[in-house]
Amino acid sequence: MALFCRAAYLLLKPSRPVAACISAAARQYSSGGQYDYIIVEKRGEKQNVGFIQLNRPKALNALCDGLMSEVGQALDDFEADGGVGAIVITGSDRAFAAGADIKEMQNRTFQECYGGNFLSHWNRVSTVKKPVIAAVNGFALGGGCELAMMCDIIYAGEKAQFGQPEILLGTIPGAGGTQRLTRAVGKSLAMEMVLTGDKINAQEAKQSGLVSKICPVDQLVLEAIKCGEKIASNSKLVSAMAKEAVNAAYELTLAEGNRLEKRLFHSTFATEDRKEGMSAFVEKRQASFKDK
């Protein structure tokens, strides 16, 4: 198993220099941003779901620095877009992301990594205020697994595989793999995955709590978009508060978390959306939130 994992991981490396990863025309988001490594659109009936598709097919969407910078730029655009209430990140049917680009990292020195705080900006996905859904088909290995875990919700295709095989390359996860995986699946399974490099399939990921839903491969993105539309129909302001409260549960004690939750709950009473939501409930009508 370990030998297969190592072989598979190494086979997922890009076969040519990073600068030549995508020869097709740059993709364009409606705001005017140009992208070489990702496709950026709005999806949903009301065009209220931001959509980011990793687009390095020949490298199985291996994460290079340029790709992650573009993801950050797209997230910034969606964060500033008042019409977007949720964001979906996906890859291809074969690979969500096969890992970090090993060729890009191979010759880096400790001084370069430490002095330049290598991978620091990759964390942007986890700091977005709007809810982010990962739609994972195929391989989500190494940095790909870490990218999925930075998202708020993970939907998996039936053939998805998750793993942190960095140990087989003589290193360890560097974008949150040891931390988020442990919080998601518990110490024992996380330790086994990190120390052996073994993968888990979609069913095992669902049972362990890493993903919330398994979908047929051809329905995965549609289901993620539907989830995004449902989230986007609520108050974007209050959704951000709810996301902050849930994320705090991983970092605070129960008492501290409850105090933060109570403060955020009280804060909703200063919003027009809380008044509208409760009034709509009492009047038995659909709420019309204004994100205020």
Side-chain angles (χ1 to χ4, degrees), residues 39-289:
I39 298 170
V40 182
E41 303 169 347
K42 290 183 182 180
R43 295 282 185 94
E45 290 185 8
K46 297 182 179 179
Q47 296 288 286
N48 56 1
V49 179
F51 180 79
I52 300 172
Q53 182 174 10
L54 310 184
N55 189 39
R56 294 187 67 194
K58 292 185 178 181
L60 293 185
N61 295 326
L63 306 178
C64 62
D65 212 45
L67 182 149
M68 292 306 295
S69 293
E70 290 187 355
V71 168
Q73 180 184 340
L75 291 172
D76 289 343
D77 288 343
F78 285 140
E79 190 87 289
D81 189 332
V84 171
I87 301 164
V88 170
I89 299 179
T90 193
S92 66
D93 288 352
R94 189 179 179 193
F96 175 73
D101 192 324
I102 306 304
K103 286 188 177 180
E104 188 177 67
M105 294 190 294
Q106 183 179 5
N107 296 318
R108 286 183 179 268
T109 66
F110 162 74
Q111 290 84 352
E112 290 172 342
C113 291
Y114 187 79
N117 201 11
F118 183 46
L119 302 186
S120 60
H121 69 282
W122 288 32
N123 202 47
R124 176 67 179 107
V125 179
S126 66
T127 64
V128 178
K129 288 186 177 181
K130 294 179 180 179
V132 182
I133 304 162
V136 178
N137 265 324
F139 295 108
L141 304 179
C145 186
E146 290 171 313
L147 176 60
M149 292 190 293
M150 291 180 198
C151 299
D152 302 302
I153 298 170
I154 302 178
Y155 278 13
E158 292 174 322
K159 297 181 180 179
Q161 297 185 61
F162 299 84
Q164 298 289 165
E166 289 86 348
I167 195 75
L168 304 178
L169 300 175
T171 187
I172 69 170
T178 63
Q179 304 303 300
R180 292 190 176 93
L181 186 63
T182 304
R183 287 166 169 78
V185 307
K187 178 184 175 182
S188 182
L189 180 56
M191 194 72 81
E192 181 181 8
M193 292 174 66
V194 169
L195 293 181
T196 66
D198 288 349
K199 301 185 294 292
I200 59 173
N201 61 31
Q203 290 70 31
E204 292 169 319
K206 176 72 163 59
Q207 292 170 359
S208 67
L210 182 60
V211 307
S212 60
K213 190 173 185 178
I214 299 176
C215 309
V217 171
D218 61 349
Q219 295 296 311
L220 174 66
V221 171
L222 291 176
E223 289 299 318
I225 296 295
K226 286 181 183 178
C227 179
E229 288 183 290
K230 185 176 293 187
I231 292 171
S233 69
N234 298 319
S235 166
K236 299 178 185 64
L237 179 62
V238 177
S239 289
M241 292 181 180
K243 174 174 173 173
E244 180 182 353
V246 173
N247 281 334
Y250 284 101
E251 300 177 1
L252 303 176
T253 66
L254 179 59
E256 292 169 337
N258 279 332
R259 279 195 292 271
L260 174 63
E261 179 189 81
K262 200 74 69 185
R263 292 192 191 101
L264 290 169
F265 168 69
H266 291 160
S267 297
T268 66
F269 282 75
T271 69
E272 294 180 17
D273 283 344
R274 193 279 312 168
K275 297 176 185 177
E276 166 62 14
M278 292 189 177
S279 295
F281 178 83
V282 171
E283 297 166 11
K284 297 182 180 181
R285 60 175 174 82
Q286 186 72 33
S288 178
F289 296 116

